[in-house]
Amino acid sequence: MKKIKSNKKNLTDIYNALFNFFGPQHWWPGETPFEIAVGAILTQNTNWGNVEKAINNLKKQKALNARALHEMPHKELAALIKPAGYFNIKAKRLKHFLAFLSDHYGGRVERMRGEDVHALRHQLLEVNGIGPETADSILLYALDKPVFVIDAYTKRVLTRHKLAPEKATYHELQGLFHNNLPADVKLFNEYHALFVMAGKHYCKPKPRCEECPLRVFK
Ligand code: SF4
């Protein structure tokens, strides 16, 4: 894997500017590790408001637990998560994850905590429909593992500030953080959430640099 050149100072200064501007984000929204893992799968290609509606539907049916979802027919699950979009595909992905969870961890996300982070990441990536961003979101937010989550907002900010090339891969971008920052769950948690805030409000497809807390770094 290629290593992107950067230094700790750039990344620390950007973090401090975002934190001072937006304040702590206290991510991820979710009451249990299981709910966080389900949310990480449902949030693929949609916004969080839609995921919340889908999760509320599951809660209303008292179905937000591994056993109920594992036993629920595909059609019923797809109907309940419809607000999250791509509901047939996401129902299949949830079923794959639930089968994995049931086979390896007795249906309990918490039981994954004891595993080595690299082994666990490898296992999650083997599950059909779980890619690096979803796997890393589960590792960081549901399991408190120090793994940096890269999303489209993060990539956009980094490339616009010339901290990473346009063609950088997920793992090269992740390496930038892993190689330059301490492996700190709280820091990785806040930093990713702050990139989302910057991307949603300022670093949009048409950037609003003049009002952005990162304008001083351009
Ligand atoms: S909006 Fe402009 S200043 Fe803000 S992060 Fe994007 S490129 Fe940087």
Side-chain angles (χ1 to χ4, degrees):
M1 189 197 306
K2 272 191 280 175
K3 208 166 157 179
I4 301 171
K5 276 192 195 158
S6 182
N7 62 54
K8 189 178 169 182
K9 190 173 180 310
N10 289 340
L11 296 179
T12 305
D13 288 349
I14 286 176
Y15 174 79
N16 288 336
L18 291 174
F19 189 85
N20 291 337
F21 188 82
F22 291 112
Q25 299 300 304
H26 305 298
W27 265 30
W28 173 297
E31 290 167 10
T32 64
F34 182 75
E35 183 175 333
I36 292 170
V38 169
I41 293 168
L42 292 180
T43 201
Q44 296 166 346
N45 303 309
T46 193
N47 66 50
W48 187 254
N50 293 334
V51 176
E52 270 180 337
K53 287 178 199 152
I55 286 186
N56 284 339
N57 283 349
L58 296 174
K59 281 184 178 172
K60 272 187 221 149
Q61 296 298 315
K62 301 202 182 327
L64 194 54
N65 62 77
R67 189 165 174 192
L69 290 185
H70 194 33
E71 289 172 357
M72 185 180 284
H74 170 95
K75 223 173 153 183
E76 195 180 330
L77 176 57
L80 287 171
I81 64 167
K82 196 169 181 180
Y86 302 98
F87 50 93
N88 270 319
I89 294 172
K90 288 182 182 176
K92 269 190 210 154
R93 289 179 179 174
L94 277 175
K95 287 287 187 188
H96 290 308
F97 174 69
L98 291 159
F100 158 79
L101 197 60
S102 157
D103 289 350
H104 296 274
Y105 297 99
R108 298 188 62 83
V109 172
E110 295 84 343
R111 289 196 189 156
M112 297 162 82
R113 279 217 174 94
E115 289 282 350
D116 166 75
V117 64
H118 299 291
L120 200 46
R121 190 171 191 275
H122 184 73
Q123 283 184 343
L124 284 168
L125 290 173
E126 292 282 298
V127 179
N128 197 323
I130 294 195
E133 186 182 337
T134 307
D136 292 340
S137 297
I138 293 172
L139 291 170
L140 178 64
Y141 291 107
L143 298 167
D144 298 321
K145 302 282 186 188
V147 176
F148 205 94
V149 178
I150 301 294
D151 65 3
Y153 295 128
T154 307
K155 183 169 185 179
R156 192 189 287 160
V157 172
L158 291 174
T159 52
R160 283 182 173 167
H161 284 260
K162 306 208 175 351
L163 290 170
E166 287 282 350
K167 285 185 180 163
T169 64
Y170 185 98
H171 292 104
E172 287 164 356
L173 293 169
Q174 189 177 53
L176 183 64
F177 294 91
H178 286 181
N179 296 328
N180 287 287
L181 296 176
D184 180 336
V185 171
K186 195 160 180 291
L187 172 67
F188 286 5
N189 179 325
E190 281 295 345
Y191 209 158
H192 173 234
L194 289 165
F195 270 131
V196 173
M197 289 297 282
K200 262 192 191 169
H201 297 286
Y202 299 99
C203 207
K204 297 169 173 236
K206 189 170 175 224
R208 295 173 54 205
C209 299
E210 59 292 347
E211 298 155 80
C212 177
L214 299 186
R215 64 189 176 279
V216 292
F217 301 105
K218 278 211 90 187

